[in-house]
């Protein structure tokens, strides 16, 4: 981070991220699914996240809006430790992500331990990120077989149920290159669910799709929301946010400018920057 700031691992005893935010065993005191406190992230001189606080309760859908470069995608990537925070803390399911507290210091977990934590967090990327050399079924069973050591019959049965759920039961033996963009993204959503995660992150899941394919992906996401899946969605789809979100968060310049119910943030925003953004998008 710029300015010589210490990393999260080098903090002194009594720093807020340690003294105020973490209990002795690394467990949160509340019941939130996701808690970010004072999160900072820089890439060289570029200060991307500037002290973000965010709480997402279990079963809630949070939609994050904001202009390009506001830090939305970086924020998502800190939630599953694809990006390490420079300052602050990230907890998922009540536990510190990527670190273990020993006394008054935080020690980064091993890669194996971090991967184990990530099995509880599904991630849907805007560019699908399917394995091109594997069939649709194999894309869905790869992680349950390798990360969870599930029996093959169990993993394949789960894959079949998920493909049925996203309307692609007839594509199990197809390869990603033979599918439309919308179909590939629905496979990607099914793959994210194959580990039965507690939380699913969506990074602009419709931005790479042709307009006529957006609806089929949003319908799958709406079904997930109705089922009580905890979701954090970075998107520009205002209609989706209005219909599905419990909370809408507006970010700009690495900060949460405002957050609240869709009716408040989208229809009666309190901050001038939010009003300007919503006016342009709509």
């Amino acid at each position: 981070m710029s300015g010589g700031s210490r990393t999260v691992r080098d903090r002194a005893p009594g720093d807020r991220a340690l003294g105020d935010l973490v209990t002795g065993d690394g467990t949160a005191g509340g019941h939130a699914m996701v808690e970010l406190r004072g999160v900072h992230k820089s890439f060289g001189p570029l200060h991307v996240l500037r002290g973000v606080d965010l709480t997402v309760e279990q079963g809630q859908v949070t939609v994050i809006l904001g202009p390009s470069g506001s830090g939305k995608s970086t924020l998502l990537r800190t939630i599953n430790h694809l990006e390490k925070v420079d300052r602050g803390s990230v907890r998922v399911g009540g536990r510190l992500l990527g670190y273990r507290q020993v006394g008054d210091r935080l020690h980064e977990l091993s890669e194996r331990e971090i991967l184990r934590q990530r099995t509880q967090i599904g991630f849907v990327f805007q560019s699908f990120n399917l394995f091109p050399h594997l069939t649709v079924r194999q894309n869905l069973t790869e992680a349950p077989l390798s990360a969870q050591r599930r029996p093959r019959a169990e993993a394949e049965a789960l894959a079949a149920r998920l493909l049925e759920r996203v309307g692609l039961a007839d594509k199990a033996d197809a390869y990603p290159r033979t599918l439309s963009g919308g179909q590939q993204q629905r496979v990607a959503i099914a793959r994210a669910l194959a580990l039965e995660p507690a939380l699913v992150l969506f990074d602009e899941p419709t931005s790479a799709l042709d307009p006529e394919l957006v609806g089929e992906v949003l319908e799958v996401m709406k079904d997930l929301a109705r089922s009580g899946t905890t979701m954090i969605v970075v998107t520009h789809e205002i209609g989706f946010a209005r219909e599905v979100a419990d909370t809408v968060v507006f970010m700009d310049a690495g900060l949460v400018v405002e957050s609240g119910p869709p009716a408040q943030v989208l229809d009666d925003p309190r901050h001038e920057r939010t009003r300007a953004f919503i006016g342009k998008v709509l």
Side-chain angles (χ1 to χ4, degrees):
M1 175 163 170
S2 62
S5 297
R6 293 168 291 179
T7 67
V8 68
R9 286 162 290 173
D10 296 328
R11 288 174 169 277
D15 275 14
R16 184 170 177 267
L18 295 180
D20 296 345
L21 300 179
V22 183
T23 61
D25 61 354
T27 304
H31 301 287
M33 177 60 70
V34 178
E35 291 182 283
L36 279 70
R37 294 293 178 264
V39 169
H40 288 255
K41 178 64 183 179
S42 293
F43 298 100
L46 183 61
H47 198 166
V48 179
L49 300 177
R50 298 171 174 266
V52 174
D53 293 330
L54 178 68
T55 300
V56 178
E57 301 294 336
Q58 184 172 354
Q60 285 195 338
V61 177
T62 296
V63 171
I64 303 178
L65 305 174
S68 297
S70 59
K72 308 183 301 296
S73 294
T74 299
L75 181 67
L76 275 195
R77 292 171 69 85
T78 66
I79 294 174
N80 72 344
H81 206 64
L82 285 174
E83 297 291 351
K84 301 175 187 179
V85 302
D86 297 326
R87 279 197 284 156
S89 66
V90 178
R91 290 196 301 245
V92 176
R95 295 203 168 269
L96 280 170
L97 195 72
Y99 297 92
R100 177 186 296 110
Q101 185 182 6
V102 180
D104 56 11
R105 294 177 65 84
L106 298 181
H107 299 268
E108 189 167 13
L109 300 177
S110 68
E111 186 62 27
R112 177 175 294 183
E113 291 171 309
I114 291 171
L115 288 173
R116 189 178 302 119
Q117 286 187 328
R118 284 190 188 131
T119 64
Q120 294 302 304
I121 307 171
F123 203 120
V124 179
F125 301 86
Q126 58 181 304
S127 56
F128 321 139
N129 284 15
L130 300 175
F131 300 117
H133 62 291
L134 300 180
T135 66
V136 167
R137 179 188 289 108
Q138 290 168 334
N139 265 277
L140 268 64
T141 59
E142 175 68 20
L145 291 173
S146 61
Q148 294 180 327
R149 306 294 182 188
R150 289 193 181 191
R152 181 170 295 277
E154 180 181 318
E156 291 188 347
L158 175 59
R161 292 197 298 273
L162 290 172
L163 289 175
E164 180 73 32
R165 182 174 185 177
V166 300
L168 293 172
D170 60 335
K171 300 295 184 180
D173 295 316
Y175 286 89
R177 65 179 180 273
T178 69
L179 305 178
S180 70
Q183 290 172 330
Q184 289 187 61
Q185 193 61 292
R186 284 187 281 157
V187 172
I189 294 172
R191 185 179 65 176
L193 297 174
L195 289 172
E196 299 182 308
L199 165 71
V200 184
L201 310 176
F202 296 82
D203 188 9
E204 301 196 31
T206 61
S207 65
L209 300 178
D210 292 333
E212 66 268 21
L213 302 177
V214 169
E216 65 188 61
V217 173
L218 293 181
E219 282 304 314
V220 170
M221 294 171 63
K222 291 174 185 177
D223 176 68
L224 289 179
R226 287 190 290 266
S227 72
T229 303
T230 308
M231 300 163 58
I232 303 177
V233 184
V234 170
T235 185
H236 291 297
E237 299 290 341
I238 299 297
F240 174 85
R242 192 185 303 279
E243 181 179 349
V244 176
D246 296 291
T247 300
V248 173
V249 175
F250 175 69
M251 289 186 65
D252 188 36
L255 294 168
V256 172
V257 176
E258 67 177 293
S259 65
Q264 180 243 299
V265 176
L266 299 178
D267 299 328
D268 188 23
R270 298 168 182 169
H271 197 282
E272 176 57 36
R273 183 67 187 91
T274 313
R275 288 194 292 271
F277 176 81
I278 297 298
K280 288 182 179 178
V281 172
L282 294 179

